[in-house]
Amino acid sequence: MINREWHLQSRPVGWPKPEDFALVEAPVPTPGEGQILVRNAYLSVDPYMRGRMSAAKSYAAPYELGKVMQGGAVGEVVASNAEGISVGDHVLHFFGWREYAALDAQHAVKVDASAAPLSTYLGVLGMTGLTAYAGLLRTASFKEGDVVFVSGAAGAVGSQVGQIAKLKGASRVIGSAGSDEKVKLLVEEYGFDAAFNYKHGPVAEQLREAAPDGIDVYFDNVGGDHLEAAIGSLNQGGRIAVCGMISVYNNTEPAPGPRNLARLIQTRGRIEGFLVGDHYDLQPQFVQEVGPWVASGALKYRETVVEGIENNLEAFLGVLRGDNTGKMIVKL
């Protein structure tokens, strides 16, 4: 049996190129003691993966050259040498970018395929959902009545941030996106009070129009001009949670910072970055609260599904381009 897996061949400079990667054939691994073999059903591709392709020191170790990359995946156990996990179980793990994965059972989490579609454990009920939940409620200290602005709002994380804010009593939720179709989706399906296409004009001007009384919370997925605009519209005591800065991930030179940071003095505002890995203690609370919203349809989600391991790289590049609506998933 052959296992196809994606290797990083060279570290991208600027925008990743196909020649930086290789789809390699290898034998299907044999699980050792305490390990399981998983046939992956769905793979996750996420913006943070771009950072791991660089050698620069970061919060996660860089991908190794000439070796298979990693990422979220969910699949079926086809062989087990571990107690507590049986053949036929479905598990969530972080050995994606490949068709089969052998891993220590302690690094897998069993999921219920009858309770929700398997793909949701990579998105709305997985790390993506917890990122939105923790960033909004803990890092940004959201409270009822806040005016919330979300950039990258049609993406997997942003769309959940806006909806959770509405379900928790936000007085107004504004989102930015990169197409008129996504703007329409935010308002008509996800229940945002206002949304704008950042390609149609200066973000600061469009934000002021959408939030004439300012914003209390900004959930940042984009950075750049969006972050500067949010600081400019921040109300007294406003909070900014920095989740990602996709606008600068492929820059070859450092991006200039916001020019209006001094406004934080006037507003007593704060900016705080966060990583979902620091907030896994919220997982039980997250599932308990968000699970019923998903089941009832109160919290809606979209997935952009790309078929085939051979298209895994193109799906990843699509995330960087903003091709996806909601979570980008690769179905094997």
Side-chain angles (χ1 to χ4, degrees), residues 159-184:
S159 59
Q160 268 190 264
V161 171
Q163 292 183 82
I164 292 172
K166 289 294 291 184
L167 288 163
K168 286 282 195 177
S171 62
R172 187 168 176 79
V173 174
I174 303 112
S176 72
S179 73
D180 293 341
E181 181 183 5
K182 290 180 179 180
V183 166
K184 183 178 180 182

Side-chain angles (χ1 to χ4, degrees), residues 29-44:
T30 300
E33 188 65 30
Q35 290 193 325
I36 56 175
L37 178 65
V38 182
R39 181 173 60 232
N40 288 329
Y42 294 94
L43 307 177
S44 178

